[in-house]
Amino acid sequence: MLDVVFLAMFAIVPALGWSIWLVKFRRNYQLHKQIQVVLMVVLGVAVTLFELDVRFFSGWRERAEASPYYASVESAGPVWDAIFVNLLRRPATPGWVFRMLLIHLVFAVTTAILWVWVGVRALRRYPHPPVPGPHSRSHVLWGKIAAWDMLMTAVTGWIFYWLAFVA
């Protein structure tokens, strides 16, 4: 599943960009809505299957142990040490695999929350078929934030994957 999600993000990010382009430059609100709903459903299923796989089946940590970025370090600088040793009470600061995983999870969790929030609000507040209205300003603002968050989720996920399984 790690490989599937890694590769899927190479399709999802351009699809998201195309959807934004459609609404911004072509004013095709209906197709934008359809693409977003499909992306939300596909990502919801993919993330659920991914989480089940990672938590119960994959053994990703054992496969990542061979990475030169896996091992803990005595010190990774004051910020990382403060987070892991002082705040999270770890005996040492983890290597880059776990640090990148933490960064990735910040983006992934906020993306999931934002996408559901933006999507549900849009479905409730826009008429059928969708056209600009009073909700548009808020939707554009939060949609941009969610899109950038999704991009950062993809980029940090790709970096994590490289650090853990390719390097």
Side-chain angles (χ1 to χ4, degrees):
M1 276 306 293
L2 282 165
D3 297 337
V4 169
V5 171
F6 173 82
L7 292 172
M9 293 307 286
F10 284 105
I12 289 167
V13 170
L16 176 61
W18 178 54
S19 174
I20 293 167
W21 178 83
L22 281 170
V23 76
K24 186 172 183 173
F25 297 106
R26 296 292 177 151
R27 306 221 184 276
N28 194 335
Y29 306 107
Q30 183 62 34
L31 187 53
H32 172 75
K33 175 184 174 181
Q34 291 168 335
I35 292 168
Q36 291 299 312
V37 169
V38 167
L39 286 175
M40 278 195 294
V41 170
V42 167
L43 280 171
V45 170
V47 168
T48 300
L49 292 174
F50 172 77
E51 285 297 324
L52 290 170
D53 181 64
V54 166
R55 301 217 183 274
F56 301 112
F57 304 110
S58 79
W60 75 267
R61 290 177 190 209
E62 291 79 19
R63 288 189 289 141
E65 283 179 351
S67 169
Y69 301 101
Y70 186 86
S72 294
V73 295
E74 267 190 47
S75 177
V79 174
W80 288 115
D81 292 346
I83 292 169
F84 285 102
V85 177
N86 300 338
L87 183 66
L88 299 176
R89 305 279 185 223
R90 308 295 267 167
T93 300
W96 268 110
V97 168
F98 284 97
R99 285 183 269 163
M100 184 50 66
L101 179 59
L102 177 66
I103 293 167
H104 171 69
L105 288 174
V106 168
F107 288 110
V109 169
T110 55
T111 295
I113 293 166
L114 280 171
W115 256 36
V116 169
W117 186 66
V118 170
V120 168
R121 287 181 74 212
L123 291 171
R124 288 183 176 169
R125 295 182 180 194
Y126 279 113
H128 305 283
V131 293
H135 177 63
S136 295
R137 282 186 91 155
S138 174
H139 182 74
V140 168
L141 171 67
W142 288 103
K144 282 180 184 177
I145 293 168
W148 281 107
D149 208 9
M150 175 59 79
L151 178 62
M152 291 306 298
T153 298
V155 169
T156 59
W158 294 328
I159 294 169
F160 165 77
Y161 186 91
W162 187 85
L163 289 170
F165 307 113
V166 178

